[in-house]
Amino acid sequence: MKPVAFDYVRASSIEEVLDLLLEAGDDAVLLAGGMSLGPMLNLRAATPSLVIDLNRTAGLGGITANGAVTTGAMLRQTQAMRDDLLMTVVPLLAKAMPSIGHYQTRSRGTLGGSIAHADPSAELPLCLLTLGGEVELQSKDGSRRVAADDFFEGVLTTARQPTEMITAIHWPRRSGSFGFVEEAQRHGDFALTAAAVWIELDATGSLAGGRLGLGGVEDRPVAFDLKEFAGAPVDENLATQVARDIAGRTDPMDDHVADAAYRRQLAGVLGKRALMEAAGEAGS
Amino acid sequence: MTRLSGNSKHSVRMTVNGRAHEGYAEPRMLLADFLRHELGLYGTHVGCEHGVCGACTVLIDGVPSRSCTQYAVQADGASIETVESLADGDTLNALQAAFRNNHALQCGFCTAGILMSATAFLEETPAPTELQVREMLSGHICRCTGYDGIVRAILEAAGVQAEGKAA
Amino acid sequence: MAETEVPTDGSSGKPGRWPDRWIGKSVPRKEDAALLTGSARFIDDMEPVAGLRHAAILRSPYAHAKITSIDASAALALSGVYGVVTGEQVAEYLRGIPSVVRTPIRFMPIAIDKARFVGEPVAVVVARDRYLAEDALDLIEVEYEPLDAAIDAEAAMADDAPVLHDVAGSNVAGHRTIINGDPESAFDEAAHVVSLDFHIQRYSSTPMETYGVVANFESVPDRYTVWSNFQGPFVIQPLMAGALGVPGNRLRLITAQASGGSFGIKQGVAAYIVLLCAVSRILGVPVKWTEDRLEHLAASSAATGRSGTVTGAFAADGELTALRFRNINDMGAFLRPPEPASVYRMQSTLNGCYGVQNIHTENYLVVTNKVPVGLNRGYGGTQFFYSLERFMDHAARELNIDPVDLRRRNFIDKDAFPYETPGGSVMDAGDYQKCVDELEARADYQALKKRRDEKRAEGKLYGIGIACAVEPSGSNMGYVSLAQTPEERAKSGAKSGANSSVVISMDPSGGVTVQLDSTPNGQGHATVTAQIVADALGITPDDVDVITEIDTMTSPWSIGSGNYGNRFSVAVTDAVVEGADRVARKLKIMAADQLECAVEDVELVEGQARIVGSDKALSLTRVGTQAHWNPVNLPDGVEPGIYETTTVTADLDGPTPEDTVASSVTYGAIFDLAAVEIDAETGRITIEKYVSVHDVGELLNPKIVEGQIIGGFVHGLGGAMFEEMTYDEDGNFLSGTFADYLCPTAMEVPDFEVGHVPTPSPKTKLGAKGLGDGSSMLAPAALTNAVADALGRADISPPLTMPKVWRWLQETKA
Ligand code: FES
Ligand code: FES
């Protein structure tokens, strides 16, 4: 279980990375924390001719807050969790991130790496999508922002072009309250299904908007607008009905781990629980 | 920017357990393999090579990391700590002693990785709860002990260390 | 603590206070310091011979396929590649290994013209390093002609199923019925007959260290030397030598100093030993191979999968009068020796903890396109007790008797020991009623039942499961031949006994060393051995060095050697006690001579040979080293040197013409209770309580016993809840990584409470019984019983994953 031979560059600047990507394109992979790419290389599921190491590339770390909060692609998950600003301004992350992998993988794993990898069950893509965030991509031609709704295209497939790299993630500040619930067979595993919720309530305490996101159901995270359910307070009945309705619209994966009916079931149950968590928070 | 060719070995220097080391590695060489077979530090073990079991955990610049999903060239210039750094000669450190007292190991194959994780963890969380210890431990697989002794050992070591710090 | 202070540190010299006895104390382990400091050496840490090359193995991507051609030219052209060896080449130096079952199927460690499971070796590359060897694997072109695969064992028995071994003509490699007592009459007379279909999946013990082998062939004279983490049973050594076509003394097996867990599975290293021996011979270089995790999961060894039916006859009062088992055993692609031992290990204890005397057993051995089965923790016990104990819980429900009560009505009475089972075992000792008293008390069974009622009243799914087992330990080498008919056995030569060998020596500086034949993989054998020897010689465990490596050229070993069948605390300790007594006796004779007293008046205590009741004493070192330095003046009849080799065996004869056999030396017992709550919406199971009561006889080192018990439980927990070697219907393997094959982590382990009701064994010198399998044999039954109770249906099977549980719930609702 050893990787194929690859050339290696420890890139010191974004410029360097982009030059290399332009030259190598599909043959190059970007190495962030290595939590997903490392195993893929070792398993020879990825066989690049060039590995571009971003771990010492300048300009990819840090957290800045203007309107949205922007995190550098190479921000480590542990660093993010220890950042009070980020955890306060994007409370959904505070709820979701402890479920990512393990202590020993969060220490090294990055935000950008998880989003670029686009596992359909992963927590960070789900949160970004639910909040309606954006991914910032850069190439020699300049940079662009892609809405999370357009970024995740399928299992391990994203809108990133081979000559592009993720430089930053934009997390919108959302007012309202949040819920995150996931079920995995074992603690720390990729979720069988996860539900992330952001709800907005009007002055009377009734649901006004927000989104319900589901991971591990379809081949990519999916999110649904809650506006159409607006008008009533979020109680157990409404939560059940909303989540069931939304679950019914999904087209769940069917594989040896779990069949479609079960994933849809979890989508409904966890959606409800996440809604209730958010509502409970709003009420308190 | 240097592009290291995949087909040749390159000099890799790092500080391991406080000592400067140099070895040679192709870019694809796993850090775990480099530590073991190039530097002869066999205390770090490999249980899966795909980042799940935690046996290979070492501290890279103080951060607990799986050394099977890192490549040796990445650690050029880094400071690494492995299980060989823990004891003072023949004297086990508090964590190691707690492992021994609590029968926290049987075959000992998973132990090095767990000791390194726990070392970093206790630095950050000097007075953990059992649940915190179990959560941290869930990044490791041990097939022998059922984890009970390990949990007790880490909690005991936390007590020992806290006393040590207070004194 | 009231316990005598125990010195823990060799460097601290003599202890302040001496305990009466070291045995029975939680002496900290001798093994730990090296392991904790990273200085213990495992097989992958070793380069025992110069000029090592590294092997990688090309494996079949197909479950069943003809191999029409192999083109290795591109691989061979790669610089640094030393050679590529195919099955055809290997076959020139290696004969197929037969099983005791009379079938033409032979086990080969590499495919020749046909691949029979995903992961089966097809070619071996030898190169400068492992990275390069794997590059070469990618360059080998193999043409396969895929065939339909036989995956499900029951389906594989059908006449029109794809046949794995054309020479056999059928996938049923063996079929035997054994009848003990008169089950037919008992069924005729029964007041109630209850029956349960069951299935238990194939899973695996997956130790954290994988297989490792270094093989070196030397041609003058022809000799294979192998370093590996093979753990026995060494009964396989002559089979390996036979397969290689050399006498046993030309196959030298050396085990590594440390071994990273096994739970039986490292028996499977044997296949790679012979394979790499052949490769080393063909290429003329020493070869090292370290299995990677993918290889281990896909191709090392599985626990036997079993499905079938248990039927029981009950008298009106709930007395179990007869049992009938129909077992379909999923053996994987070959009957790889020592298989079908997994099927017959429990044959003479099919009564379990009960007094039932009439038992009918029918076993089918079915080959399928999956990895072969082999030793895995619980070996045969997991499967058997899963079927029996699921049946007992089910029968209790059918008969409307409390499941604990039904068992109590059928337990072997404590006064009935030694108890001869219908299968021929002589169970040594036990008090099962008392064990269950303890279980009920610890679990607060009555309160728990009330809690279940309350939960159910609230609409919750709550269940309680019970399971109990006997734990046979110290295996009779003869039991495996139950797979043969009495006529076949008569022809093939008798087998019996449970050998164990040990050497105890004192060197010219007074150092005491013990050499064991138990190839431990983390069970603390060195520590317990040192405790025993320390007691016999009046020294401390720190004074005793214990060598656990086996070198078949220099170590005392026998076909009984190895780490299996819970043999250490039963068979090996007997050899250690015997050997230590001999050394003590010799030292006393020498001391009596020097102290000028009668031998009977010498005691060995506190590092001295002392005249009882006096302070006249000599240091033990002083006495013992005379055997080296002053041999001429030894007392009459005392041999020079101190080097005592002891081999003992248990009085266990081979099978009788009636197919009965005493399969083991001791029979411990285990009683488990699980209580679970199920989340009806998600299928998540929460284990609220798990209590386990054990009779392990005397506890030689309580802390080590405790460690074995909880470790065994967590293996059983994994099998009950998560672990399965999953294949799709084409035989593609779906559990190839630790992200797919789910072992419990610290977060999945529930509170686990242990109780002890030891009844000392009269069969062993220290009164110990075996342990090690423990609740690994029972947790699948106890937990599945609890879930069945919660769901109100018996037709469920492990692993109890969330999607499955939820599915069962939907079916029950419908
Ligand atoms: S060997 Fe690195 S995580 Fe298993
Ligand atoms: S002690 Fe053996 S795997 Fe943990």
Side-chain angles (χ1 to χ4, degrees), chain C residues 1-289:
Chain C
M1 268 198 341
E3 259 184 5
T4 313
E5 203 177 317
V6 175
T8 60
D9 180 2
S11 62
S12 68
K14 298 298 175 218
R17 285 198 287 155
W18 287 79
D20 298 339
R21 239 175 138 220
W22 294 100
I23 273 301
K25 299 218 153 39
S26 290
V27 173
R29 298 200 322 163
K30 294 183 86 65
E31 293 87 344
D32 288 352
L35 294 165
L36 285 163
T37 52
S39 46
R41 285 292 160 262
F42 295 82
I43 183 67
D44 190 52
D45 308 340
M46 293 170 59
E47 288 181 12
V49 52
L52 268 186
R53 305 291 203 286
H54 296 266
I57 299 176
L58 185 70
R59 293 172 183 276
S60 171
Y62 293 104
H64 200 190
K66 280 210 178 98
I67 298 169
T68 51
S69 73
I70 300 179
D71 178 359
S73 50
L76 287 165
L78 202 62
S79 155
V81 170
Y82 204 78
V84 177
V85 175
T86 64
E88 235 164 66
Q89 290 169 276
V90 169
E92 282 179 42
Y93 296 97
L94 194 66
R95 288 195 284 266
I97 306 178
S99 135
V100 300
V101 176
R102 293 294 159 231
T103 157
I105 298 171
R106 296 285 178 272
F107 170 69
M108 275 295 272
I110 185 166
I112 299 173
D113 44 9
K114 194 176 174 188
R116 294 184 177 85
F117 64 96
V118 169
E120 184 173 9
V122 169
V124 182
V125 168
V126 175
R128 189 182 58 223
D129 63 48
R130 176 65 176 251
Y131 290 76
L132 201 60
E134 292 195 17
D135 292 345
L137 294 185
D138 288 346
L139 298 175
I140 300 175
E141 303 222 4
V142 183
E143 257 179 62
Y144 294 98
E145 194 180 295
L147 302 167
D148 286 342
I151 301 305
D152 177 73
E154 285 184 57
M157 294 166 70
D159 287 341
D160 57 351
V163 172
L164 271 83
H165 299 272
D166 294 331
V167 286
S170 153
N171 295 326
V172 180
H175 176 217
R176 275 218 73 194
T177 298
I178 296 179
I179 295 170
N180 300 130
D182 182 5
E184 206 175 319
S185 309
F187 274 102
D188 284 347
E189 290 157 19
H192 310 279
V193 173
V194 181
S195 157
L196 179 74
D197 293 338
F198 70 91
H199 172 75
I200 182 162
Q201 82 278 20
R202 289 159 49 104
Y203 60 106
S204 166
S205 298
T206 66
M208 292 317 299
E209 182 202 36
T210 55
Y211 295 175
V213 175
V214 175
N216 185 32
F217 175 73
E218 294 161 294
S219 54
V220 206
D222 283 8
R223 184 197 304 284
Y224 296 101
T225 304
V226 179
W227 295 260
S228 77
N229 52 9
F230 177 64
Q231 59 126 54
F234 277 76
V235 67
I236 301 175
Q237 195 272 356
L239 300 183
M240 289 191 265
L244 288 163
V246 295
N249 61 356
R250 295 291 172 81
L251 172 62
R252 179 179 188 181
L253 300 184
I254 301 170
T255 62
Q257 175 204 30
S259 170
S262 168
F263 321 106
I265 203 170
K266 280 178 179 157
Q267 161 253 326
V269 176
Y272 293 98
I273 290 176
V274 291
L275 176 59
L276 290 155
C277 279
V279 169
S280 173
R281 173 165 203 157
I282 291 164
L283 298 180
V285 288
V287 176
K288 177 173 184 173
W289 169 75

Side-chain angles (χ1 to χ4, degrees), chain C residues 388-705:
Chain C
L388 178 63
E389 292 303 303
R390 292 272 350 260
F391 166 80
M392 288 301 282
D393 250 36
H394 175 61
R397 231 146 266 135
E398 294 288 296
L399 302 179
N400 212 3
I401 301 175
D402 178 277
V404 170
D405 198 31
L406 180 65
R407 289 176 170 92
R408 283 190 185 274
R409 290 186 204 183
N410 285 289
F411 281 151
I412 298 164
D413 193 78
K414 73 175 192 316
D415 300 324
F417 291 96
Y419 178 81
E420 184 163 351
T421 71
S425 278
V426 181
M427 293 170 65
D428 46 344
D431 187 344
Y432 301 163
Q433 301 287 358
K434 194 166 160 201
C435 288
V436 169
D437 292 344
E438 176 77 8
L439 184 75
E440 287 203 42
R442 283 187 181 266
D444 202 349
Y445 185 53
Q446 299 312 325
L448 204 57
K449 287 205 289 187
K450 218 178 262 152
R451 180 170 169 75
R452 176 174 64 185
D453 293 342
E454 288 160 12
K455 284 276 185 185
R456 288 182 177 174
E458 292 166 27
K460 299 273 169 54
L461 299 167
Y462 196 93
I464 302 172
I466 312 286
C468 51
V470 295
E471 183 162 18
S473 301
S475 298
N476 178 350
M477 296 313 295
Y479 82 78
V480 186
S481 52
L482 281 176
Q484 300 175 330
T485 62
E487 299 72 44
E488 289 167 348
R489 274 200 302 271
K491 278 188 220 144
S492 53
K495 296 182 180 66
S496 70
N499 298 348
S500 196
S501 317
V502 65
V503 176
I504 304 177
S505 59
M506 185 186 270
D507 64 36
S509 319
V512 175
T513 304
V514 185
Q515 245 178 301
L516 291 181
D517 77 338
S518 64
T519 52
N521 326 84
Q523 297 86 350
H525 294 180
T527 301
V528 176
T529 298
Q531 289 174 260
I532 298 171
V533 174
D535 279 341
L537 304 186
I539 53 181
T540 77
D542 287 354
D543 296 329
V544 182
D545 264 351
V546 183
I547 309 289
T548 57
E549 298 98 299
I550 285 188
D551 175 341
T552 56
M553 291 296 277
T554 58
S555 309
W557 67 279
S558 73
I559 56 163
S561 301
N563 195 14
Y564 62 94
N566 305 325
R567 93 180 251 277
F568 174 74
S569 49
V570 172
V572 180
T573 55
D574 265 18
V576 176
V577 172
E578 175 71 31
D581 285 349
R582 288 188 197 169
V583 172
R585 173 89 195 150
K586 180 166 182 169
L587 288 167
K588 282 181 186 171
I589 294 170
M590 290 163 62
D593 186 54
Q594 293 173 47
L595 291 164
E596 296 176 339
C597 67
V599 176
E600 293 67 42
D601 292 339
V602 178
E603 60 177 358
L604 306 181
V605 286
E606 299 182 14
Q608 296 176 322
R610 193 164 64 191
I611 297 177
V612 179
S614 80
D615 52 12
K616 216 175 152 205
L618 290 166
S619 91
L620 197 70
T621 301
R622 164 89 206 179
V623 173
T625 54
Q626 289 288 300
H628 295 284
W629 298 101
N630 189 15
V632 171
N633 295 308
L634 291 176
D636 285 351
V638 174
E639 272 181 37
I642 297 186
Y643 189 89
E644 204 64 55
T645 305
T646 308
T647 298
V648 301
T649 195
D651 183 20
L652 298 170
D653 206 349
T656 65
E658 292 73 43
D659 285 321
T660 63
V661 70
S663 69
S664 300
V665 182
T666 67
Y667 299 83
I670 313 159
F671 301 80
D672 281 11
L673 179 148
V676 302
E677 182 167 350
I678 297 172
D679 179 340
E681 289 187 320
T682 62
R684 175 171 290 286
I685 297 167
T686 303
I687 302 170
E688 264 205 359
K689 202 179 258 301
Y690 201 104
V691 183
S692 189
V693 172
H694 292 246
D695 173 4
V696 302
E698 294 289 352
L699 282 71
L700 303 181
N701 181 319
K703 222 172 219 172
I704 290 178
V705 169

Side-chain angles (χ1 to χ4, degrees), chain B residues 105-111 141-145, chain C residues 208:
Chain B
L105 63 155
Q106 289 181 24
C107 77
F109 199 78
C110 68
T111 310
I141 300 175
C142 170
R143 287 298 256 174
C144 296
T145 62
Chain C
M208 292 317 299

